Amino acid sequence: MELNFSSMAITHPKIPSFGFTPTGIFLNPSKSVCLASHHRLPRVSCSVSTTTDSPKLVTSTKVTAMDGVSSRDLEMSNLTALSPLDGRYWSKVKDLASSLSEFGLIYFRVFVEIKWLLKLSNIPEVTEVPSFSKEAQSFLQGIIDGFSIDDALEIKKIERVTNHDVKAVEYFLKQKCESQPEIAKVLEFFHFACTSEDINNLSHALMLQEALSSVILPTMDELIKSISLIAKNFAYVPMLSRTHGQPATPTTLGKEMANFAVRLSEERRYLSETKIKGKFAGAVGNYNAHISAYSNIDWPHVSEEFVTSLGLTFNPYVTQIEPHDYMARLFNNISQFNTILIDFDRDIWSYISLGYFKQTTKAGEIGSSTMPHKVNPIDFENSEGNLGKANAELTFLSMKLPISRMQRDLTDSTVLRNMGGALGHSLLAYKSAIQGIGKLQVNEARLKEDLDDNWEVLAEPIQTVMRRYGVPEPYEKLKELTRGKAVNEETIRTFIKGLELPSEAKDQLLELTPHTYVGAAAALALAVDEALHLGH
């Protein structure tokens, strides 16, 4: 039977839901940065919307092309890339590029610096920065909306002189704004009272929020839905369990898939509930410079307003850096999601090896260079391998980032540049698993054959019913009958007929087969959607 993910309907009778309660907690889309992320050299733009209680960043321009990059140049770039994410697998992970690349980091630094200047212009006590006219505001917004790869390259050019990446952004903005009369008068208020980490921590937070809300969480949802669809469509297909790799109590194919869908969904929920935090408190987190310049302003309140206006959660207790504890939680959640998916990949690999699943073939594709008959489970193997690589990086990030000597050291700075690799390998793994699922065909004949060959699995219900009716040593008698011996339908039925049981109980046991002894498996599989935690 082939999986049809587009139109297969459930026609089985209503099954109890066992009290599963649907939950819809997910990363708040009103707090997400929505950048287009479809090409290596993106042109992105954002604006602040204040039409809701929680302002959000919204896309005003979509990426449409890689200007000036020929297909041959792209292919050459892929061949010479140091990382396979930027080479062989680029087409599968490119959606993360505009948020987690160097370009993304530079863009968000520009964004934060401009929004801070606009915030200062709205504080009455900062008389040196009067409220900007609509023209001046539009000019600043235009820098954000029109930010391009050329702008990023100009900032990198300045950085070669300053040898300081954040200072290069400040100088770039001063140069950009010299021509605007109002802003030209307050150029020194770019980066006012800021340490570089005030800009960087917000930029990294916005990068992560964009990557999660626009790419990672939706792909997780797609994966979970693909698995849950198998659960529902094959809820009634009986399957031999294999505890310790040996024949065990039957289940259904759908129920085993439901297990994974729910487990993955739980981790996805924990991930979406993690608050992405930001700080804006100066050199060591005490607003020292702020207060020295304007002692009459409630700077902690101003900073909280500013951070939350970007859709982030304000962290009031910090040193020079936001301590990255939330990042550790995020990366640990993703790592646990990945570990569960490794378990899924290995189980599907095993079911394919047992013949429970076949894989659809594609004309021209080769499974083995020497064995023409083979169709290897390459998608699940690719997924497993990339999940291992991702988890190695995610574990390192979660263990390292919360540690910083005294009020600040720079070890986190270089480490944070590797978020794209960790999430890129995760994304690649999710897409490989989804692709593999799309190729699966259920081989019901093979499933039936395995059940027919293992009637000994009915030893469990027989000895359990014997216990109910007081038959002595039920376990021992079934052990003697089945362990290490060839058992078939006749063996089991003959044993049942010889038991001293009420006729009704005996008749029920005689009706049992390995195909029907599946308990509540079908009901659990059909109720899977009620247990999932997905975004909407």
Side-chain angles (χ1 to χ4, degrees):
M1 181 181 296
E2 184 172 353
L3 300 177
N4 184 338
F5 291 106
S6 60
S7 61
M8 186 173 291
I10 302 298
T11 57
H12 299 293
K14 175 70 175 175
I15 302 295
S17 67
F18 295 96
F20 292 140
T21 302
T23 305
I25 302 172
F26 56 97
L27 193 70
N28 188 346
S30 70
K31 293 185 177 182
S32 65
V33 184
C34 302
L35 293 183
S37 49
H38 304 292
H39 300 282
R40 187 175 308 204
L41 307 178
R43 179 184 294 270
V44 294
S45 58
C46 294
S47 60
V48 172
S49 168
T50 56
T51 57
T52 62
D53 291 337
S54 55
K56 61 180 178 180
L57 305 179
V58 294
T59 303
S60 59
T61 311
K62 295 290 184 182
V63 177
T64 57
M66 289 182 62
D67 298 334
V69 180
S70 69
S71 59
R72 185 179 184 279
D73 288 340
L74 181 58
E75 185 69 15
M76 287 288 290
S77 176
N78 288 344
L79 288 171
T80 58
L82 188 60
S83 165
L85 294 179
D86 293 314
R88 181 182 183 88
Y89 301 124
W90 170 250
S91 64
K92 294 185 177 181
V93 301
K94 63 184 180 181
D95 288 352
L96 287 173
S98 68
S99 54
L100 295 181
S101 63
E102 178 81 357
F103 174 89
L105 176 57
I106 294 171
Y107 166 80
F108 279 115
R109 284 169 172 162
V110 169
F111 179 90
V112 173
E113 291 275 12
I114 289 176
K115 293 305 177 184
W116 178 232
L117 182 64
L118 287 168
K119 176 66 176 177
L120 290 172
S121 74
N122 290 321
I123 301 174
E125 294 86 349
V126 184
T127 56
E128 291 78 8
V129 186
S131 297
F132 291 130
S133 66
K134 289 185 178 179
E135 290 76 15
Q137 292 179 48
S138 296
F139 183 89
L140 289 169
Q141 188 63 46
I143 297 175
I144 295 172
D145 292 344
F147 193 78
S148 68
I149 191 66
D150 290 333
D151 291 325
L153 289 171
E154 178 62 26
I155 291 172
K156 295 299 291 183
K157 180 180 178 182
I158 297 171
E159 184 187 340
R160 286 196 290 272
V161 177
T162 63
N163 198 30
H164 195 289
D165 46 8
V166 177
K167 205 66 178 175
V169 170
E170 178 188 347
Y171 288 169
F172 166 81
L173 288 171
K174 287 180 177 179
Q175 293 173 11
K176 274 278 190 179
C177 296
E178 285 177 339
S179 61
Q180 213 292 328
E182 290 180 58
I183 305 171
K185 295 177 182 178
V186 294
L187 292 180
E188 293 306 323
F189 281 85
F190 275 117
H191 206 68
F192 175 78
C194 293
T195 182
S196 296
E197 189 56 23
D198 285 329
I199 307 303
N200 280 337
N201 91 95
L202 297 182
S203 298
H204 286 123
L206 292 170
M207 291 165 70
L208 264 179
Q209 184 146 277
E210 161 62 10
L212 290 171
S213 63
S214 294
V215 183
I216 297 296
L217 288 175
T219 308
M220 285 180 169
D221 288 346
E222 183 183 355
L223 173 62
I224 294 167
K225 288 174 183 176
S226 296
I227 298 172
S228 68
L229 192 57
I230 306 176
K232 291 178 292 184
N233 288 343
F234 299 98
Y236 288 94
V237 176
M239 182 180 81
L240 186 70
S241 291
R242 291 183 179 270
T243 60
H244 308 280
Q246 302 176 55
T249 300
T251 181
T252 71
L253 176 61
K255 163 56 171 43
E256 299 315 299
M257 296 300 102
N259 290 344
F260 285 111
V262 173
R263 291 174 65 195
L264 291 169
S265 173
E266 280 290 295
E267 293 308 318
R268 186 250 189 257
R269 176 169 66 88
Y270 298 146
L271 176 62
S272 66
E273 290 175 345
T274 300
K275 296 177 180 179
I276 297 181
K277 296 184 177 182
K279 60 87 65 172
F280 209 74
V284 292
N286 303 330
Y287 308 95
N288 304 51
H290 305 67
I291 293 171
S292 68
Y294 296 95
S295 59
N296 59 331
I297 295 176
D298 183 354
W299 286 109
H301 179 68
V302 168
S303 294
E304 182 174 8
E305 284 184 337
F306 179 60
V307 171
T308 56
S309 75
L310 302 180
L312 304 173
T313 297
F314 179 64
N315 188 349
Y317 288 93
V318 295
T319 59
Q320 186 173 111
I321 67 169
E322 200 291 322
H324 308 316
D325 295 332
Y326 83 85
M327 287 187 179
R329 279 189 290 275
L330 280 175
F331 296 144
N332 281 328
N333 282 148
I334 296 172
S335 178
Q336 181 61 19
F337 183 97
N338 292 353
T339 297
I340 295 168
L341 186 56
I342 289 173
D343 195 23
F344 172 81
D345 288 336
R346 290 180 179 177
D347 272 13
I348 296 295
W349 189 98
S350 297
Y351 292 145
I352 291 172
S353 73
L354 289 169
Y356 291 177
F357 287 115
K358 295 181 179 179
Q359 299 176 95
T360 56
T361 58
K362 185 176 180 180
E365 285 189 350
I366 294 172
S368 166
S369 64
T370 187
M371 292 172 280
H373 67 283
K374 294 188 70 178
V375 182
N376 296 330
I378 57 173
D379 297 304
F380 300 104
E381 293 170 339
N382 179 283
S383 177
E384 181 183 342
N386 278 286
L387 291 167
K389 179 68 165 67
N391 278 7
E393 296 188 23
L394 290 166
T395 300
F396 170 68
L397 289 169
S398 64
M399 292 178 66
K400 188 275 155 294
L401 288 175
I403 300 171
S404 183
R405 293 174 183 86
M406 306 226 181
Q407 283 68 50
R408 171 63 160 144
D409 71 45
L410 271 176
T411 54
D412 67 328
S413 181
T414 186
V415 169
L416 283 166
R417 295 179 183 274
N418 291 279
M419 293 191 301
L423 294 181
H425 282 287
S426 298
L427 178 63
L428 176 58
Y430 306 157
K431 290 188 173 183
S432 293
I434 293 168
Q435 182 171 300
I437 290 170
K439 296 178 182 178
L440 294 177
Q441 293 177 302
V442 177
N443 185 356
E444 290 198 46
R446 180 70 184 92
L447 289 162
K448 180 179 184 301
E449 178 186 1
D450 246 8
L451 290 165
D452 288 339
D453 289 343
N454 289 280
W455 277 76
E456 65 270 21
V457 297
L458 295 185
E460 180 188 45
I462 295 170
Q463 62 99 4
T464 304
V465 172
M466 291 168 65
R467 287 176 187 274
R468 175 185 175 183
Y469 291 103
V471 177
E473 299 184 328
Y475 179 87
E476 288 73 18
K477 289 176 180 177
L478 268 300
K479 176 182 173 183
E480 175 65 24
L481 176 71
T482 60
R483 183 174 290 189
K485 298 178 182 178
V487 176
N488 56 29
E489 179 178 0
E490 182 180 355
T491 307
I492 292 295
R493 294 195 183 282
T494 299
F495 181 83
I496 294 173
K497 290 175 182 178
L499 292 173
E500 294 183 4
L501 292 173
S503 58
E504 183 181 355
K506 188 177 293 188
D507 289 342
Q508 288 178 346
L509 286 176
L510 287 170
E511 289 177 4
L512 271 182
T513 73
H515 299 267
T516 59
Y517 180 52
V518 294
L524 289 163
L526 290 175
V528 63
D529 283 350
E530 299 177 45
L532 300 183
H533 309 279
L534 302 179
H536 300 283

